[in-house]
Amino acid sequence: MNTSIPFGNAPPSSTAANMFQRIERLRRLAWLLDAAIRLPGTKIRLGADSVVGLLPGGGSLLMAAVSLYFVWEAWRLRAPRNVLAQMVFNIVVEGVLDVVPVLGDIADIAFKANLRNVRLLEDHFGMPHRP
Protein backbone atom coordinates (compact mmCIF):
# COMPACT_ATOMS: atom_id res chain seq x y z
CA MET A 1 0.00 0.00 0.00
CA ASN A 2 1.31 3.40 -0.94
CA THR A 3 0.92 5.56 2.18
CA SER A 4 2.09 8.75 0.51
CA ILE A 5 -1.28 9.33 -1.18
CA PRO A 6 -3.40 11.87 0.73
CA PHE A 7 -6.61 10.47 2.21
CA GLY A 8 -9.85 12.23 1.21
CA ASN A 9 -9.43 15.96 1.81
CA ALA A 10 -6.28 15.47 3.86
CA PRO A 11 -3.51 18.02 3.51
CA PRO A 12 -0.76 16.88 1.13
CA SER A 13 1.75 16.44 3.96
CA SER A 14 -0.44 13.85 5.70
CA THR A 15 -0.38 10.27 4.56
CA ALA A 16 -3.50 8.15 4.41
CA ALA A 17 -2.20 5.82 7.11
CA ASN A 18 -1.26 8.68 9.43
CA MET A 19 -4.63 10.40 8.90
CA PHE A 20 -6.52 7.18 9.54
CA GLN A 21 -4.53 6.42 12.70
CA ARG A 22 -5.06 9.87 14.17
CA ILE A 23 -8.80 9.91 13.51
CA GLU A 24 -9.12 6.32 14.71
CA ARG A 25 -7.42 7.35 17.98
CA LEU A 26 -9.90 10.23 18.32
CA ARG A 27 -12.78 7.83 17.59
CA ARG A 28 -11.66 5.49 20.39
CA LEU A 29 -11.28 8.39 22.82
CA ALA A 30 -14.72 9.76 21.86
CA TRP A 31 -16.25 6.33 22.45
CA LEU A 32 -14.61 6.15 25.88
CA LEU A 33 -15.83 9.63 26.76
CA ASP A 34 -19.35 9.33 25.32
CA ALA A 35 -20.46 5.71 24.95
CA ALA A 36 -18.27 3.13 26.73
CA ILE A 37 -20.89 2.05 29.27
CA ARG A 38 -24.31 0.66 28.41
CA LEU A 39 -26.97 1.04 31.06
CA PRO A 40 -28.24 -2.50 31.76
CA GLY A 41 -31.59 -3.30 30.20
CA THR A 42 -31.53 -0.25 27.92
CA LYS A 43 -29.94 0.96 24.70
CA ILE A 44 -28.63 4.05 26.54
CA ARG A 45 -24.86 4.48 26.47
CA LEU A 46 -22.75 6.90 28.44
CA GLY A 47 -19.08 7.41 29.05
CA ALA A 48 -16.52 9.08 31.25
CA ASP A 49 -17.79 12.52 30.19
CA SER A 50 -21.19 11.81 31.76
CA VAL A 51 -19.71 10.31 34.92
CA VAL A 52 -17.08 13.00 35.54
CA GLY A 53 -19.64 15.67 34.63
CA LEU A 54 -21.63 14.64 37.70
CA LEU A 55 -18.84 15.87 39.98
CA PRO A 56 -19.80 19.18 41.55
CA GLY A 57 -17.49 22.15 41.22
CA GLY A 58 -15.92 21.65 37.85
CA GLY A 59 -16.54 18.18 36.44
CA SER A 60 -18.35 19.63 33.43
CA LEU A 61 -15.69 22.28 32.92
CA LEU A 62 -12.95 19.66 33.07
CA MET A 63 -14.70 17.51 30.46
CA ALA A 64 -15.26 20.52 28.18
CA ALA A 65 -11.52 21.14 28.33
CA VAL A 66 -10.87 17.49 27.41
CA SER A 67 -13.30 17.88 24.48
CA LEU A 68 -11.21 20.77 23.16
CA TYR A 69 -8.46 18.21 22.48
CA PHE A 70 -10.56 17.04 19.52
CA VAL A 71 -10.59 20.58 18.13
CA TRP A 72 -6.84 20.88 18.59
CA GLU A 73 -6.27 17.60 16.74
CA ALA A 74 -8.64 18.72 13.97
CA TRP A 75 -6.65 21.94 13.66
CA ARG A 76 -3.43 19.90 13.44
CA LEU A 77 -5.05 17.85 10.68
CA ARG A 78 -5.79 21.14 8.90
CA ALA A 79 -9.55 20.83 9.07
CA PRO A 80 -11.19 23.97 7.67
CA ARG A 81 -12.52 26.75 9.89
CA ASN A 82 -16.16 25.78 9.36
CA VAL A 83 -15.47 22.26 10.68
CA LEU A 84 -13.51 23.65 13.64
CA ALA A 85 -16.31 26.14 14.36
CA GLN A 86 -18.94 23.38 14.31
CA MET A 87 -16.81 21.31 16.67
CA VAL A 88 -16.47 24.21 19.11
CA PHE A 89 -20.23 24.85 18.81
CA ASN A 90 -20.94 21.21 19.76
CA ILE A 91 -18.73 21.53 22.83
CA VAL A 92 -20.37 24.82 23.86
CA VAL A 93 -23.88 23.38 23.45
CA GLU A 94 -23.02 20.37 25.58
CA GLY A 95 -21.26 22.58 28.14
CA VAL A 96 -24.16 25.03 28.42
CA LEU A 97 -26.70 22.24 28.75
CA ASP A 98 -24.53 20.50 31.31
CA VAL A 99 -24.74 23.36 33.82
CA VAL A 100 -28.46 22.72 34.33
CA PRO A 101 -28.79 20.20 37.17
CA VAL A 102 -30.22 16.79 36.16
CA LEU A 103 -31.50 18.02 32.78
CA GLY A 104 -27.92 18.82 31.82
CA ASP A 105 -26.75 15.34 32.76
CA ILE A 106 -29.50 13.81 30.61
CA ALA A 107 -28.64 16.14 27.72
CA ASP A 108 -24.97 15.20 28.08
CA ILE A 109 -25.84 11.52 27.66
CA ALA A 110 -27.99 12.28 24.61
CA PHE A 111 -25.87 14.90 22.80
CA LYS A 112 -22.43 13.20 22.76
CA ALA A 113 -20.36 16.12 21.45
CA ASN A 114 -17.15 14.13 21.10
CA LEU A 115 -18.72 11.46 18.87
CA ARG A 116 -20.37 14.23 16.83
CA ASN A 117 -17.00 15.92 16.40
CA VAL A 118 -15.30 12.75 15.21
CA ARG A 119 -18.11 12.30 12.70
CA LEU A 120 -17.48 15.83 11.40
CA LEU A 121 -13.83 14.92 10.83
CA GLU A 122 -14.74 11.64 9.16
CA ASP A 123 -17.15 13.47 6.85
CA HIS A 124 -14.61 16.14 5.98
CA PHE A 125 -11.80 13.71 5.23
CA GLY A 126 -14.05 11.26 3.39
CA MET A 127 -13.68 8.44 5.89
CA PRO A 128 -16.36 5.80 6.48
CA HIS A 129 -18.39 6.02 9.67
CA ARG A 130 -18.12 3.30 12.26
CA PRO A 131 -20.69 2.60 14.96
Side-chain angles (χ1 to χ4, degrees):
M1 179 173 137
N2 181 357
T3 59
S4 64
I5 298 171
F7 192 84
N9 293 324
S13 63
S14 294
T15 64
N18 182 10
M19 179 74 57
F20 180 79
Q21 288 172 349
R22 290 169 73 180
I23 294 177
E24 182 64 28
R25 184 176 59 240
L26 290 174
R27 182 185 294 133
R28 286 191 307 267
L29 178 58
W31 181 82
L32 179 67
L33 292 172
D34 289 346
I37 303 165
R38 187 178 61 82
L39 294 179
T42 71
K43 293 182 179 181
I44 298 171
R45 299 193 72 84
L46 55 104
D49 190 351
S50 301
V51 175
V52 173
L54 292 173
L55 297 174
S60 298
L61 186 60
L62 173 66
M63 294 315 299
V66 170
S67 293
L68 288 173
Y69 170 73
F70 291 84
V71 179
W72 182 67
E73 278 292 326
W75 176 79
R76 290 183 61 213
L77 290 167
R78 298 185 184 168
R81 286 184 185 184
N82 64 320
V83 172
L84 297 174
Q86 183 63 51
M87 291 174 77
V88 170
F89 177 77
N90 288 340
I91 295 167
V92 169
V93 166
E94 189 171 84
V96 167
L97 292 173
D98 213 15
V99 298
V100 180
V102 182
L103 177 63
D105 298 319
I106 294 168
D108 188 38
I109 292 169
F111 193 71
K112 302 182 185 318
N114 299 308
L115 288 172
R116 286 175 184 259
N117 287 343
V118 169
R119 177 145 302 190
L120 286 170
L121 287 175
E122 291 170 338
D123 288 345
H124 173 71
F125 290 112
M127 294 178 67
H129 296 277
R130 292 178 56 207

